[in-house]
Amino acid sequence: MSATDVELDITGMTCASCATRIERKLNKLPGVEASVNYATEKARVRGDDLDPADLIATVEAAGYRAEVPAPPAASEEETGDPETAALRRRLLISAALAVPVAVLSMIPVLQFENWQWLALTLTAPVAVWGAWPFHRAAAVNARHGAVTMDTLISLGVIASFGWSLYALFLGGAGMPGMTMSFTLFGAPEAGAHEIYLEVAALVTVFLLAGRYAEARARAASSSALRALLNLGATSATRLVDGREREVPVASLAVGDVVVVRPGEKIPSDGLVVEGTSAVDAGMLTGESTPVEVTPGARVVGATINVGGRLVVEITRVGADTELARMGRLVEEAQTGKAEVQRLADRVSAVFVPVVILLAVAAFVGWLVAGGSLELAFTAAVATLIIACPCALGLATPTALLVGTGRGSQLGILIRGPQVLEQTRRVDTIVLDKTGTVTTGRMAVTDVLPAEGVSRDELLAAAGAVEAASEHPVGRAIAAAAGSVPPVESFAAHAGLGVQGIVDGSAVVAGRLSWLRDQWSVGPSASGPDLDALAERATIVAVARDGQYLGAIAVADTVKPTSAEAIVRFRRLGLRPVLLTGDNAATAARVGAEVGIDDVRAEVTPAEKLEVVRALQAEGRVVAMVGDGVNDAAALTAADLGIAMGGGTDAAIAASDVTVVSGDLLVVADAVRLARRTLSTIKGNLFWAFAYNVAAIPVAMAGLLNPVVAAAAMALSSVFVVTNSLRLRRFRAEPSAG
C-alpha cells in the first residue's frame, strides 16, 4: 500500500458550504484525507491506493460533478470561462428587469393604476430564472439532507415572491390604485396590501452581482499560474549530426542537444555545452539583470537567451522541468487550506442551520409580541438574507489565491497555506553559508606578488597554467586572469597543484608546501603572512623557472546583496544565525562582512539539525535557509524551511518556500509577502465575522429592509474579494545597492 495524491476539478459548487460538504463526504472514506477549495474549485485527496473513480462517485453522490484534471499546459490563446459568461448574461438580464420594479416600488409618484401587475410580470422571470442557480443548489442539497448558503438565498427570494403572490391574489395588494413606498427599516404599521416584489428582484440581482464579482476575481487571481505556464517555448532547434531541425518542445528527450539563438527562449532545462551568453531569467526569478553563462552552466527552460549563440544539452523535460515544478508548487499552495480557513469552514458548516432557526425565531417572536404579520415576515426574510456568510467562505481562499499567485511572479514559491502561519511566528532565521550567504563559487580575493613581480605578471602566469585545470580554484584563477597564452605539457597533481610550459617557461602553481618540497621555491621571510590568510582562503603559490612569483588567495565570495538582506531580516524582527561546515576563521570573516554576530562554524549536516532543534528548545520559532543536500534535514526540522532555487532538488523538496533567484533579498520579500497575505486573511475574516454578528440582531429586530440587507450582504463579499486583490500590488523592496 502506498500513499498517493489525487487532484479533482469540482464543478457545481456555489458557496463555501458546498466545499465543506464535499470535503466532509470525501473524508468519510477509509484512509482518506481531503481538502476542497471553493475559490480554486479543486479537491486534493491523499490516501492509500486511491481510485479516482471512487472519489468522483463520492462527489457526484453529494450532488456535484468531479473529474481528474488534464495536465496543465500552456495555451496560445486564453479562452473565457463559459460559466462566468453565462452568469454575466443572467446578471444583465435580471438587472434590466429588476430596475423598473425597484423604481416603481420605491417612488410613489410613478405608481400608475395597476402598476403592481407590471411589477409582477417583470419580477417573475428574475425570481425564477434569474435566481435559478440558487434554487437549484438549494434543491440539490435538500435532497441530500443538507443546507448551505444557497438555501438562505433561495428561501429569502421564494418567501418574498410567494408573499407578494399571496398579497396580490388573495390580499388587498391587487386592487387598482394601490401604492407603497420604500423604507430603510421595517414598518410595523404596514397593511395587508404590502408586497415584496422589489425584494425578490433586487436580492437576486445583488447576489448575482456578488457571485459574478467572485468568479471574475478567481479568474484574475489565478492568471499568475496561467501566465507561468505560458512562459515556456513551443518549439526548439534540435542538433542531430551537425544538422539543425526545428521540432516541438514536447518531442525533446533527455540527452538531446539544442541550439538557442539570441532572442530565443531556452526550450527546456539543460547544461550549456558550447557558447557564452547572457540569459534573462527575470520572468522566473523576478531579477532584472541577465546572468552570464558559459560552458557547464545550468540553464532553465523558458528563460531568454539575450547574448550569443548557445548549444544546450537537455537534462530535464516535461513535468520534471523547473517551470513545471513551479506550476505544481503554485497550484498546491492555492489548493491547500490554512488553519484560519479551516476555522471559517467549521463556522460556515453550522452557521446556515442556526440562521434558519434565527429567522423562524424572529418570525414567531414578532407574532407573539403582537407585531403585524408583515413586520414578522420582513424580519425573517431580512435575517435569512443578511446572514448569508459568503464573505466568510471567501475570506481565506481569495487572499491565498492572489498572494501565492503574486509570489510566483516574483520568483517566490510558497508550498502551502500553512506556511503563512509559520512565517508570522518566526523570530530566528538560520542561514547556511555556502550558496546562500555566499555565491558558492570560488573567486580570487587577494593577489600577493613577490618583490619585483607585478600583479598582472603573477595572474598571467598562474592563469595560463590553471586554464587547463578542471578544479574550481584553478577555474577561478583563470577567470581572474582573463586572456592568457596557451599552456603546453600540462600536468595536474591531485591535491597538490599543476604544472606546464607557458611561453617557453616552466610554471608551477599549487600548495605552498608542494612548491617548497618539490620545487625548492617559496616566499622570503619578509613576505606577507600567508598562514594567517590561509585560515580564510585557499592559497595558491606560483613559481616560474624556479623563481617564486607570489601567491593568490581564492575563496567563496559573499553575494552582493547578503549584507543588505541581513539588515532587512533584523527589521522584520528576525535574529540571524550563520551556520557552516567551513573553518571558524572563514565563517567569522563572512559573518563580519554581512553583519551576523551569531556564527557557528565546522558544523556537520547532523549538527545543523541539532542547532535548529536546540534553538527551538529555547522557545524560538526557526526559519532555515539552505541550498544543499546537507541542509535537507535542517530544512525539514525547521518551523519554516526556505530553499534557494539554484540549490539541490533534495533541499527544495524539504522546504516550505523556494526562492527561485537564490537572492537573500528575495527571502526577506517572501517573509513580507507571507505576512501581508496572512494579514489580509485576518482582515477579511474580521470583516466577515463582525458583519454577521452586527447585522443579524438588527435584521431580527425588524429594523432592516430586505433589499438593504441583500445589498449589504453582496457588498461584504465584494469587499473581501477586492481587499484580497490588493495583494496583486505587492512589490519587492528595491535594493539600496
Side-chain angles (χ1 to χ4, degrees), residues 128-200:
V128 178
W129 175 79
W132 181 248
F134 309 116
H135 301 321
R136 181 184 59 216
V140 166
N141 285 294
R143 280 203 306 271
H144 293 88
V147 289
T148 66
M149 300 177 206
D150 290 299
T151 307
L152 300 182
I153 299 169
S154 180
L155 285 176
V157 172
I158 290 172
S160 53
F161 186 64
W163 174 268
S164 300
L165 291 178
Y166 162 78
L168 284 169
F169 288 100
L170 302 177
M175 300 297 293
M178 186 275 280
T179 60
M180 58 180 283
S181 59
F182 174 77
T183 59
L184 287 175
F185 305 107
E189 68 280 359
H193 68 281
E194 192 77 25
I195 59 176
Y196 291 92
L197 291 173
E198 82 283 6
V199 172

Side-chain angles (χ1 to χ4, degrees), residues 28-191:
K28 285 182 179 178
L29 296 174
V32 165
E33 182 182 338
S35 174
V36 180
N37 193 312
Y38 167 55
T40 58
E41 297 182 318
K42 290 183 181 295
R44 187 171 294 279
V45 188
R46 185 172 182 78
D48 293 329
D49 297 325
L50 295 176
D51 184 353
D54 292 341
L55 302 176
I56 292 171
T58 301
V59 173
E60 291 178 345
Y64 305 90
R65 294 180 299 282
E67 62 181 4
V68 176
S75 57
E76 289 296 319
E77 191 175 312
E78 190 176 311
T79 57
D81 179 9
E83 288 190 17
T84 303
L87 188 57
R88 180 175 181 271
R89 186 166 56 250
R90 192 181 297 269
L91 168 62
L92 292 177
I93 294 173
S94 297
L97 295 173
V99 168
V101 176
V103 170
L104 285 173
S105 301
M106 297 177 184
I107 306 176
V109 72
L110 298 179
Q111 292 170 358
F112 55 87
E113 190 169 348
N114 292 320
W115 67 272
Q116 65 271 41
W117 297 103
L118 174 62
L120 174 63
T121 304
L122 294 173
T123 301
V126 178
V128 178
W129 175 79
W132 181 248
F134 309 116
H135 301 321
R136 181 184 59 216
V140 166
N141 285 294
R143 280 203 306 271
H144 293 88
V147 289
T148 66
M149 300 177 206
D150 290 299
T151 307
L152 300 182
I153 299 169
S154 180
L155 285 176
V157 172
I158 290 172
S160 53
F161 186 64
W163 174 268
S164 300
L165 291 178
Y166 162 78
L168 284 169
F169 288 100
L170 302 177
M175 300 297 293
M178 186 275 280
T179 60
M180 58 180 283
S181 59
F182 174 77
T183 59
L184 287 175
F185 305 107
E189 68 280 359

Side-chain angles (χ1 to χ4, degrees), residues 509-534:
R511 289 179 181 269
L512 183 57
S513 59
W514 181 57
L515 263 68
R516 281 179 172 148
D517 297 342
Q518 184 72 25
W519 306 98
S520 302
V521 293
S524 64
S526 61
D529 187 358
L530 296 181
D531 291 336
L533 186 59

Side-chain angles (χ1 to χ4, degrees), residues 425-516:
R425 297 182 293 110
V426 164
D427 57 21
T428 302
I429 185 162
V430 177
L431 305 164
D432 171 55
K433 180 183 75 67
T434 307
T436 301
V437 176
T438 64
T439 61
R441 295 186 299 274
M442 305 300 281
V444 172
T445 59
D446 298 275
V447 179
L448 307 168
E451 187 176 350
V453 179
S454 70
R455 183 180 188 278
D456 290 343
E457 184 182 358
L458 170 58
L459 270 177
V465 73
E466 292 284 13
S469 171
E470 291 297 321
H471 195 281
V473 171
R475 288 204 298 266
I477 293 174
S483 178
V484 292
V487 61
E488 300 172 3
S489 305
F490 173 81
H493 303 270
L496 298 174
V498 294
Q499 68 180 94
I501 305 297
V502 179
D503 287 339
S505 297
V507 177
V508 292
R511 289 179 181 269
L512 183 57
S513 59
W514 181 57
L515 263 68
R516 281 179 172 148

Side-chain angles (χ1 to χ4, degrees), residues 171-172 229 256 291 349-350 543 551 582 618 663:
L229 295 172
D256 281 351
V291 179
V350 300
D582 263 358
E618 293 173 12
D663 187 345

Side-chain angles (χ1 to χ4, degrees), residues 50 64 69 79 113 143 165-166 191 263 309 322 354 363 385-386 410 446 496 503 516 648 653 669 689 699 705 727:
L50 295 176
Y64 305 90
T79 57
E113 190 169 348
R143 280 203 306 271
L165 291 178
Y166 162 78
R309 177 180 182 270
E322 186 85 11
V354 169
F363 183 80
I385 294 169
I386 197 76
L410 296 173
D446 298 275
L496 298 174
D503 287 339
R516 281 179 172 148
T648 64
D669 288 329
F689 276 116
N705 187 296
L727 285 167

